[in-house]
Amino acid sequence: MKSEKPWLGLVLLLAVPAGLAAAPPASGNEIVIVFKDGRQQTFSMADIERIEFKTPTSNSAVIRGNSFLGKWKVGDGNGSTFFITLDRDGGATKSIGASHGTWTVVDNEARISWDDGWHDAIRKVGTKYEKRAFESGKSFTDTPSNVTEAKKAETQPI
């Protein structure tokens, strides 16, 4: 069950222990969610396949991605290079194509979505970084349109 409310993870982390202390489940195989307004909802663990938390798209993800902040020199897939800059506020710019985008950290990689529909991922592979480019209509789990080297050209202070 995927939540469209990113704060639900925090509520679960804070409210479940309090709810369990206030009214522990009878069988011990249940989870109790206590909402801010005092409502409680109990679920049998046997009915739950998994609990998913929405990936944060706020500054908290960017703060965890401090190693990605700054200016990157990357390949364009045709033998040339350009620059991608990842800002602290989650904004991104590049020196070619659609120059504006947004970024966040997912699975230890910087994922950038550009205004023209393309998206890039910068990830560490061994001791180096690479940039994977995905054309409009592809997802980050599809085969990339191109993979090139990525080098930090300029860092930003944490």
Side-chain angles (χ1 to χ4, degrees):
M1 171 173 35
K2 210 171 211 183
S3 170
E4 295 303 321
K5 299 177 182 170
W7 50 264
L8 184 57
L10 181 59
V11 171
L12 282 173
L13 289 174
L14 297 175
V16 170
L20 291 174
S27 70
N29 290 323
E30 298 171 326
I31 186 169
V32 177
I33 298 175
V34 180
F35 296 91
K36 288 183 178 183
D37 65 2
R39 290 178 298 123
Q40 295 184 12
Q41 193 163 358
T42 303
F43 298 93
S44 169
M45 293 302 283
D47 293 335
I48 298 173
E49 180 177 331
R50 68 179 175 266
I51 298 173
E52 296 182 4
F53 299 96
K54 184 175 180 180
T55 303
T57 57
S58 66
N59 287 344
S60 63
V62 174
I63 290 167
R64 289 195 317 265
N66 278 334
S67 63
F68 293 108
L69 287 174
K71 190 173 188 177
W72 292 83
K73 182 178 181 180
V74 299
D76 69 355
N78 294 316
S80 296
T81 61
F82 66 98
F83 293 95
I84 294 175
T85 303
L86 303 179
D87 295 323
R88 179 176 313 286
D89 66 359
T93 56
K94 63 180 176 173
S95 58
I96 64 169
S99 62
H100 180 264
T102 57
W103 75 283
T104 188
V105 176
V106 178
D107 296 332
N108 296 317
E109 67 182 14
R111 291 189 176 180
I112 311 148
S113 297
W114 301 107
D115 288 348
D116 64 359
W118 278 77
H119 36 285
D120 296 325
I122 298 175
R123 68 171 62 154
K124 190 169 187 175
V125 178
T127 59
K128 298 182 178 186
Y129 286 87
E130 65 183 23
K131 187 255 328 167
R132 294 173 177 248
F134 302 88
E135 62 190 76
S136 183
K138 287 192 172 184
S139 73
F140 285 106
T141 57
D142 288 332
T143 300
S145 302
N146 67 69
V147 179
T148 63
E149 184 176 42
K151 287 187 175 180
K152 200 76 163 285
E154 173 186 306
T155 59
Q156 291 186 356
I158 294 176

